[in-house]
Amino acid sequence: MKVLIPFYSMYGHIYRMAEAVAEGVREVSGAEAVLRRVPETLPTDVLQKMGAVEPQKAFAHIPVCTVDELAAADAIIFGTPTRFGNMCGQMRQFLDATGGLWVKGGLVGKAGGVFTSSATQHGGQESTILTFHTFLLHQGMVLVGLPYAFAGQMRIDEITGGSPYGASTIAGGQGERLPSENELAGARYQGKYIAEIAAKLKG
Ligand SMILES: Cc1cc2nc3c(=O)[nH]c(=O)nc-3n(C[C@H](O)[C@H](O)[C@H](O)COP(=O)(O)O)c2cc1C
């Protein structure tokens, strides 16, 4: 059983979360986690100005995702940074290439989920995940979030990401904060949970 993890990351936070999601997937017997980058759409000079060229080298070895890989997966969990309270344009562009899959119902019945990252605590993590969910629903996917059974999202003794909609991390205004242990645990939980749901859907 294959759980695909297509992600976009500019400074590495979503990549780190994607690795944790993959760790959770692998906890389920027979589940394979497949990490994939969605294609970059910004020109190199713009990426340079944004300080993204060096950080992106850390995950340049991850293969770029193809639309066919979505169809071949049993479950898909997407990772995107928040951009103005929404998914990033790179992810949107990739999703806009899936019209052919929609026509064929290629993703109908597959488990699908989303995780995210934002600079600030209230900078739109929930709106990013919830607005991403419309794509999953249009494609006929079965929504999988982060249940409160992951008790780490109840914590108020430290600042933390994570909501019933999905795992998340708070990167800080300059990207200076790395995903915390609690946020990584949320990502692992969601990865394991989506693999378990996918196994049940497969029957
Ligand atoms: C164009 C742009 C828009 C952004 N919009 C938001 C936003 O609405 N809220 C927020 O908290 N952070 C915002 N950020 C910060 C990103 O969410 C942050 O850099 C990202 O989560 C870090 O993840 P990454 O290291 O995987 O790229 C924005 C960043 C950029 C470049």
Side-chain angles (χ1 to χ4, degrees):
M1 192 190 46
K2 202 172 270 189
V3 179
L4 188 66
I5 310 168
F7 70 90
Y8 178 81
S9 188
M10 189 166 261
Y11 306 110
H13 300 80
I14 283 291
Y15 173 52
R16 180 68 195 93
M17 291 289 277
E19 285 185 318
V21 168
E23 284 162 22
V25 168
R26 292 186 197 113
E27 285 176 35
V28 177
S29 152
E32 183 194 349
V34 181
L35 280 170
R36 290 288 184 266
R37 289 183 292 135
V38 304
E40 183 55 83
T41 58
L42 288 174
T44 308
D45 60 320
V46 174
L47 291 170
Q48 233 143 18
K49 281 184 194 143
M50 295 177 88
V53 173
E54 273 309 306
Q56 285 188 336
K57 283 183 183 162
F59 41 93
H61 62 286
I62 305 278
V64 171
C65 199
T66 64
V67 169
D68 288 346
E69 285 177 302
L70 298 177
D74 295 293
I76 310 170
I77 176 161
F78 297 89
T80 175
T82 286
R83 297 276 186 268
F84 308 113
N86 261 282
M87 72 177 79
C88 63
Q90 290 85 346
M91 182 61 77
R92 180 83 259 168
Q93 190 124 335
F94 179 67
L95 299 184
D96 283 357
T98 64
L101 272 185
W102 172 80
V103 169
K104 289 186 286 191
L107 301 183
V108 172
K110 294 182 196 287
V114 183
F115 58 97
T116 193
S117 164
S118 67
T120 62
Q121 195 179 355
H122 303 292
Q125 299 196 339
E126 296 183 0
S127 59
T128 296
I129 296 177
L130 287 170
T131 50
F132 204 131
H133 281 171
T134 56
F135 166 81
L136 305 184
L137 290 168
H138 276 252
Q139 291 281 7
M141 300 184 80
V142 178
L143 295 189
V144 178
L146 179 65
Y148 276 110
F150 171 66
Q153 67 181 292
M154 300 287 287
R155 289 183 73 160
I156 54 169
D157 60 324
E158 64 175 38
I159 290 176
T160 189
S163 75
Y165 315 117
S168 60
T169 183
I170 300 156
Q174 307 301 317
E176 70 279 15
R177 183 178 181 273
L178 296 176
S180 69
E181 268 317 305
N182 194 50
E183 291 165 343
L184 293 171
R188 277 192 292 272
Y189 192 104
Q190 196 181 4
K192 184 176 181 208
Y193 185 53
I194 203 165
E196 286 168 347
I197 298 284
K200 283 184 188 166
L201 288 174
K202 233 181 163 183

